[in-house]
Amino acid sequence: HLLLFLLFVGPFNCFASYSRATELFYSLNEGLPAGVLIGSLARDLRLSTAGGQRPAAPQPPLSFTLASRGLGGQYVQLDNRSGELHTSAVEIDREALCMESSGATVFGGAAAVSSSPSSESCLLLLDVLVLPQEYFRLVKVKIAIRDVNDNAPHFPVPHIRLSVPENAPVNTRLAIEHPALDPDVGTNGVQTYRLQDNYGVFTLDVEENESGERTPYLIVMGSLDRETREEYVTVIVAEDGGTPPLVGSATLTIGISDINDNCPQFSDSQLNVTLYGNSSLGTHVATVHAVDMDLGSNAQITYSYSQKVPQPSRDLFHLDESTGTITLSSKVDGDTPRLHRLIILGNGPGCIPAVITVLVTIIKVMMRPPEVVPRFIANEAEGVVYLKELEPINTPIAFFTIKDPDEKYKVNCYLDGDGPFRLSPYKPYNNEYLLETTKPLDYETQQLYEISVVAWNSEGFHVNRIIKVQVLDDNDNSPVFSQQLIELSIEENNVPNAFLTKLHATDADSGERGQVSYFLGPDAPSYFSLDKATGVLTVSTQLDREEKEKYRYTVKAVDSGFPPRESIATVTITVLDKNDNSPRFINKDFSFFVPENFPGFGEIGVISVTDADAGQNGWVALSVLNGSDIFVIDTGKGVLRAKVSLDREQQSSYVLWIEAVDGGDPALSSTAKITILLLDINDNPPLVLFPQSNMSYLLVLPSTLPGSPITEVYAVDKDTGMNAVIAYSIIGRRGPRPESFRIDPKTGNITLEESLMQNDYGLYRLLVKVSDHGYPEPLHSTVMVNLFVNDTVSNESYIESLLRKEPDISIEEKQPQISIEPTHKKMESASCMPTLVALSIISLGSIALVTGMGIYICLRKGKKHHRADENVEVQIPLNGRINLHMLEKKPMEISNI
């Protein structure tokens, strides 16, 4: 077969090998996700173009099928139509796939895994069937799985121990028996080793054998001495060659094994000893002790006499070869030499013996010394008496029997040494003495006393018996705080678990009795914590000075004695202020009602503002943000004032924004809305808008029916409320029959009261008073209303001359009555009555006719008044023509007719 190998350049498939003998070769990295293209069988087998020639007739579609899905088939997905081979959802792990089958090919039907013995190559083998029959073939697909650095080196054991003799020469190489393992291969495997700390005497080297395995070796770079340091502990690190490199580590303990490089040594070369001639057998003479710095059998020492020691001395003194203790082994008599020179050897394995000389001087005595025989009452061990502190006075310690062995001499005794002890004869016995205490013992003052019971006979021979008294501690001291009052401070808004202080208490007792534990008192808040062992006081939450500024509670120090003793201290904590609160107005909106014409710089109102902070942080300054040209505010007191007098008619209300800024750093601020409403005072009289002139007049036809509106007086008042409620009244009249006209006090409408007769023709002048309801003093204006009753105006100059004359009118001061409810129906009936009376006088003979005419007139006028009630604003001029300007109640000029 002709083999054709195709090289594919891409992130996943490197190359494909094709032959018409149906064999393809691909390669890809392990660990790829599902759906990665491995290769296209149709393209690589050149089946899509059928050798590059155009088919003569339509051909059936190609079909690609795995011969069977074995072990390798689960890692790939084959498109049956296109022949594209992709990775499946099962991730390929080269180490799991190939390491178990290293050196063999494992088949799973038509899919298998193959690995070379070196584990450098890992093959996935697939058998693919190509159909239909025209293209049928069995394709052998080999997929090489490339290794990636996805495994870090690891040591098989976490602790590695290596032993090096202390006399190992420089450059000694010792193999580390547990090298690191890395499932990856090639450069991704273990490449180097290093020590985290080499102590200046070690290094590592790596050797690679024929199979490629790397073994680390420990190399000694300096001299070792077990007696100086017997062990080195470090960390061995293995690193692979991947990018980036991965590492693994284990603890390496290097033990230095001992060799016999040290010999026994005596601290002194000679020891002088005195021995009384009357000493009993077994009396301790001396003990020699040599030291060997080696270990174990290398440090075993035996003691022996030198050959220079004469036999009589050997017989007199026994030497224990293990302990080096010399004792008296035979009695001293008159022939015994007074001086003995004992040369003792300290022998070690393979060493030259160490030498020490013991000179024993024997003092020959003619009499035996007094004997002191103790019988202890208190606890005693090896000559040490143990007493508890606080034992009561006269606590017995021991009896002493003092006697003369020869029974020839009188023996006395006394106590030598300092301490609260007394040795006194114990009556009625002779030569019996009692040792007791004279006052309580205090461990904290002195723990150990050394006293001597001295016995001497009449010949002046003294014997001392030394006694040590060890005072045992009792829990008689309470812990003591260094401060009874602990004053602390902390800024508010602290971080949780903030450190406050470390409490310290001491206890003079020893051992557990002096160990102090710390506890919070029952009055301490739950968010304070006190470490039992260290005494560190913390607060677990944020403190807020505005919520609580001072804390005061107790803490306890308790010792571990039985029963335990305790002491109490007081902790006070002051929470320091931080500028964490903005100024706060007592209201979001302030409203002030001020009478107009209020004097300048008068007090309008007080703006109340608070700041929960303290000191400079709580100092608040107020300022006006808008309207500062009219208003000013007192920073300290919050008093709002106007610089000028305010006029409601110019502006009825003001809206100000006040800013409050505290003194913190950085400063905090807030604003409030201030509404100033000006209250009206009666400082404006009514202003008459119609008629506009006292010289104007209106023509009233004599045929005008009673109750008809003639004209109106229209006035306005710039004030408000009752100060702007206007009342109209006629205070002066002049004319042929002036009472013929009346004015509505509420609307100012002037109506005809009675029918006009022939004698009623002429000029009527009505002086109208327009008054408000102001308090305390109403204000008013006057206007002259001129009415000319006639059919026509024939001589205007005559009328004008009458108007120019000063009218002779008497003033009628009568308070106008304004009713709140309308009284139109009463006005109807009232306006009908004069007409009925007039008709009855003229036509007394025909009551029925008069009655009918009266009813007719009443009904007719009722309709007119009804229409007038519907719109009382409509004014009817004297000439009978409706002027639209008057309907809007706007000022208008009325020219003389």
Side-chain angles (χ1 to χ4, degrees):
H1 298 282
L2 178 62
L3 298 177
L4 180 60
F5 295 94
L6 302 176
L7 179 64
F8 293 89
V9 179
F12 308 116
N13 54 321
C14 289
F15 59 89
S17 171
Y18 162 74
S19 76
R20 299 202 55 89
T22 66
E23 183 176 287
L24 292 175
F25 182 80
Y26 299 101
S27 65
L28 76 160
N29 291 341
E30 62 173 325
L32 295 178
V36 175
L37 178 64
I38 300 173
S40 174
L41 274 63
R43 182 187 60 198
D44 297 337
L45 294 171
R46 299 183 180 180
L47 297 177
S48 59
T49 59
Q53 297 180 2
R54 190 178 188 90
Q59 297 179 358
L62 294 175
S63 174
F64 299 87
T65 308
L66 287 174
S68 66
R69 302 191 66 87
L71 176 62
Q74 62 178 325
Y75 298 106
V76 297
Q77 288 288 342
L78 178 62
D79 190 304
N80 295 339
R81 294 297 182 186
S82 66
E84 290 184 348
L85 198 61
H86 296 83
T87 57
S88 69
V90 180
E91 184 179 292
I92 300 176
D93 184 359
R94 183 185 184 282
E95 290 73 32
L97 188 65
C98 293
M99 286 304 178
E100 295 181 357
S101 58
S102 177
T105 301
V106 180
F107 294 93
V113 177
S114 176
S115 172
S116 67
S118 64
S119 296
E120 288 292 335
S121 62
C122 177
L123 296 179
L124 194 64
L125 306 179
L126 304 174
D127 290 345
V128 179
L129 299 176
V130 182
L131 298 174
Q133 181 130 9
E134 295 90 319
Y135 299 97
F136 173 77
R137 65 185 68 187
L138 176 64
V139 181
K140 297 286 187 178
V141 178
K142 297 181 180 179
I143 303 173
I145 309 301
R146 292 195 298 266
D147 182 50
V148 297
N149 191 28
D150 57 346
N151 293 279
H154 69 278
F155 287 88
V157 292
H159 299 280
I160 302 173
R161 185 168 186 87
L162 195 63
S163 180
V164 181
E166 62 177 325
N167 63 344
V170 176
N171 293 326
T172 299
R173 299 170 66 87
L174 298 168
I176 297 177
E177 297 181 355
H178 302 285
L181 305 176
D182 193 328
D184 297 324
V185 297
T187 58
N188 292 332
V190 177
Q191 299 296 314
T192 60
Y193 291 86
R194 68 176 184 275
L195 292 178
Q196 200 171 75
D197 187 359
N198 58 19
Y199 297 97
V201 293
F202 299 106
T203 188
L204 287 179
D205 190 17
V206 180
E207 290 185 4
E208 185 175 354
N209 58 17
E210 296 179 356
S211 61
E213 294 179 353
R214 296 172 179 263
T215 302
Y217 281 81
L218 181 71
I219 302 177
V220 179
M221 300 297 293
S223 60
L224 304 174
D225 184 6
R226 190 208 61 79
E227 288 73 33
T228 303
R229 183 163 189 169
E230 63 181 8
E231 187 177 76
Y232 297 85
V233 179
T234 184
V235 175
I236 181 171
V237 179
E239 183 176 307
D240 63 22
T243 305
L246 303 177
V247 297
S249 63
T251 301
L252 177 63
T253 301
I254 305 170
I256 308 302
S257 58
D258 184 54
I259 64 170
N260 191 25
D261 57 346
N262 290 279
C263 289
Q265 296 284 337
F266 286 106
S267 58
D268 297 311
S269 60
Q270 182 171 310
L271 185 61
N272 297 320
V273 178
T274 299
L275 182 67
Y276 289 106
N278 59 354
S279 298
S280 59
L281 296 179
T283 300
H284 178 270
V285 178
T287 299
V288 295
H289 181 67
V291 177
D292 192 323
M293 299 298 293
D294 292 327
L295 289 177
S297 59
N298 294 331
Q300 289 182 357
I301 301 175
T302 59
Y303 302 93
S304 62
Y305 284 125
S306 170
Q307 294 180 357
K308 297 180 180 180
V309 177
Q311 190 63 42
S313 296
R314 293 170 181 260
D315 296 337
L316 184 63
F317 300 103
H318 175 264
L319 173 63
D320 191 304
E321 65 175 8
S322 298
T323 63
T325 300
I326 304 172
T327 57
L328 184 64
S329 60
S330 62
K331 295 198 70 168
V332 177
D333 55 24
D335 298 331
T336 303
R338 298 182 58 186
L339 181 64
H340 296 265
R341 186 181 186 88
L342 306 178
I343 301 175
I344 300 174
L345 305 178
N347 305 296
C351 290
I352 298 174
V355 179
I356 185 171
T357 302
V358 179
L359 293 178
V360 181
T361 302
I362 298 178
I363 301 175
K364 294 186 178 181
V365 293
M366 299 304 296
M367 57 183 159
R368 290 183 290 176
E371 293 182 357
V372 179
V373 180
R375 288 170 292 167
F376 292 98
I377 302 172
N379 293 330
E380 181 269 341
E382 297 182 358
V384 180
V385 177
Y386 296 92
L387 289 178
K388 287 186 178 180
E389 65 175 332
L390 303 182
E391 288 281 1
I393 299 175
N394 300 327
T395 297
I397 300 174
F399 279 111
F400 289 90
T401 301
I402 309 300
K403 61 182 180 179
D404 180 17
D406 300 324
E407 297 181 355
K408 295 180 180 180
Y409 305 99
K410 182 181 179 181
V411 179
N412 296 313
C413 88
Y414 66 92
L415 188 65
D416 187 22
D418 297 329
F421 305 102
R422 176 176 57 217
L423 183 66
S424 58
Y426 190 73
K427 302 295 184 179
Y429 304 103
N430 294 326
N431 298 330
E432 294 287 343
Y433 293 85
L434 176 65
L435 178 65
E436 58 186 355
T437 59
T438 58
K439 64 180 181 179
L441 303 176
D442 187 4
Y443 175 86
E444 288 72 35
T445 302
Q446 187 170 347
Q447 294 87 35
L448 182 65
Y449 295 90
E450 188 171 308
I451 55 178
S452 297
V453 176
V454 181
W456 82 99
N457 58 19
S458 56
E459 297 298 321
F461 200 91
H462 291 74
V463 174
N464 290 345
R465 181 63 186 260
I466 298 175
I467 299 173
K468 295 181 179 180
V469 178
Q470 176 67 56
V471 182
L472 301 178
D473 188 28
D474 200 358
N475 193 29
D476 59 336
N477 291 279
S478 299
V480 178
F481 280 100
S482 57
Q483 295 175 279
Q484 287 299 114
L485 178 61
I486 304 164
E487 297 179 325
L488 307 173
S489 63
I490 184 174
E491 279 195 341
E492 62 177 330
N493 303 331
N494 54 283
V495 297
N497 300 316
F499 172 83
L500 293 175
T501 189
K502 183 176 182 180
L503 303 181
H504 180 65
T506 58
D507 194 315
D509 294 323
S510 63
E512 291 185 352
R513 292 170 292 274
Q515 293 179 359
V516 179
S517 300
Y518 302 90
F519 301 94
L520 290 173
D523 55 345
S526 60
Y527 38 83
F528 288 96
S529 300
L530 180 58
D531 189 280
K532 175 181 177 181
T534 64
V536 173
L537 181 64
T538 58
V539 56
S540 61
T541 186
Q542 283 191 347
L543 299 180
D544 186 358
R545 188 204 66 83
E546 290 71 37
E547 181 179 336
K548 190 170 183 179
E549 184 175 6
K550 287 189 178 295
Y551 295 86
R552 184 183 181 93
Y553 53 87
T554 57
V555 291
K556 296 190 298 183
V558 183
D559 63 23
S560 301
F562 183 80
R565 302 175 67 97
E566 66 180 41
S567 61
I568 296 176
T570 301
V571 175
T572 63
I573 300 174
T574 301
V575 183
L576 304 179
D577 185 54
K578 291 181 70 175
N579 192 28
D580 59 342
N581 290 277
S582 300
R584 184 175 181 180
F585 292 91
I586 60 172
N587 296 314
K588 290 289 184 182
D589 298 322
F590 291 84
S591 296
F592 297 107
F593 295 88
V594 181
E596 64 175 330
N597 301 330
F598 194 69
F601 291 98
E603 182 178 322
I604 294 175
V606 177
I607 311 300
S608 297
V609 62
T610 60
D611 194 313
D613 294 322
Q616 186 72 15
N617 295 331
W619 181 85
V620 179
L622 298 173
S623 61
V624 181
L625 295 180
N626 62 326
S628 58
D629 53 340
I630 300 177
F631 297 94
V632 65
I633 191 167
D634 189 330
T635 296
K637 298 180 179 180
V639 177
L640 182 65
R641 307 176 189 272
K643 299 179 182 178
V644 297
S645 180
L646 304 177
D647 187 0
R648 190 203 64 80
E649 285 72 38
Q650 292 183 2
Q651 186 170 341
S652 62
S653 64
Y654 296 87
V655 176
L656 305 178
W657 289 96
I658 303 297
E659 182 182 39
V661 181
D662 63 22
D665 183 21
L668 301 177
S669 64
S670 60
T671 57
K673 180 182 178 183
I674 313 297
T675 302
I676 302 173
L677 301 173
L678 297 182
L679 300 177
D680 184 50
I681 64 172
N682 195 25
D683 59 343
N684 291 282
L687 175 64
V688 178
L689 300 180
F690 184 83
Q692 292 182 339
S693 171
N694 289 333
M695 300 299 292
S696 63
Y697 67 95
L698 294 176
L699 177 64
V700 180
L701 299 177
S703 60
T704 303
L705 296 177
S708 299
I710 304 302
T711 185
E712 72 167 343
V713 177
Y714 178 61
V716 294
D717 196 315
K718 294 182 180 179
D719 296 322
T720 60
M722 295 303 295
N723 294 332
V725 176
I726 299 176
Y728 302 88
S729 62
I730 299 175
I731 62 173
R733 303 168 185 265
R734 185 176 179 82
R737 189 154 58 97
E739 66 274 4
S740 300
F741 299 95
R742 70 175 294 273
I743 189 168
D744 189 307
K746 190 174 182 181
T747 64
N749 289 334
I750 298 176
T751 59
L752 180 64
E753 286 290 293
E754 301 175 357
S755 299
L756 297 173
M757 303 301 178
Q758 187 68 30
N759 297 332
D760 296 337
Y761 285 35
L763 180 63
Y764 290 79
R765 308 197 74 176
L766 305 177
L767 182 60
V768 177
K769 179 181 179 181
V770 183
S771 177
D772 60 25
H773 283 62
Y775 178 85
E777 185 67 30
L779 301 178
H780 70 274
S781 301
T782 58
V783 65
M784 188 68 75
V785 178
N786 300 306
L787 304 175
F788 184 65
V789 178
N790 200 3
D791 291 326
T792 61
V793 178
S794 59
N795 191 350
E796 293 183 5
S797 60
Y798 172 70
I799 298 173
E800 292 176 358
S801 66
L802 294 177
L803 294 175
R804 283 194 291 270
K805 293 180 181 180
E806 188 68 28
D808 185 10
I809 300 176
S810 59
I811 304 299
E812 304 173 3
E813 280 298 336
K814 184 178 180 182
Q815 186 68 25
Q817 299 296 325
I818 300 178
S819 59
I820 303 302
E821 298 295 331
T823 57
H824 298 305
K825 293 190 179 293
K826 293 182 179 181
M827 291 173 60
E828 287 182 14
S829 60
S831 61
C832 293
M833 289 304 295
T835 306
L836 294 175
V837 173
L839 290 174
S840 62
I841 296 173
I842 296 173
S843 304
L844 292 176
S846 181
I847 296 175
L849 180 60
V850 172
T851 302
M853 291 182 63
I855 293 172
Y856 174 77
I857 293 172
C858 288
L859 292 175
R860 187 177 179 185
K861 290 188 176 182
K863 292 180 180 179
K864 291 181 179 181
H865 280 287
H866 181 68
R867 287 193 299 270
D869 292 339
E870 291 178 353
N871 190 359
V872 297
E873 302 293 334
V874 178
Q875 305 298 315
I876 303 177
L878 295 178
N879 58 9
R881 292 179 296 174
I882 298 177
N883 194 323
L884 296 177
H885 293 285
M886 295 182 64
L887 294 177
E888 300 177 359
K889 286 195 171 182
K890 293 184 177 179
M892 57 174 286
E893 292 187 4
I894 303 176
S895 61
N896 296 334
I897 301 176

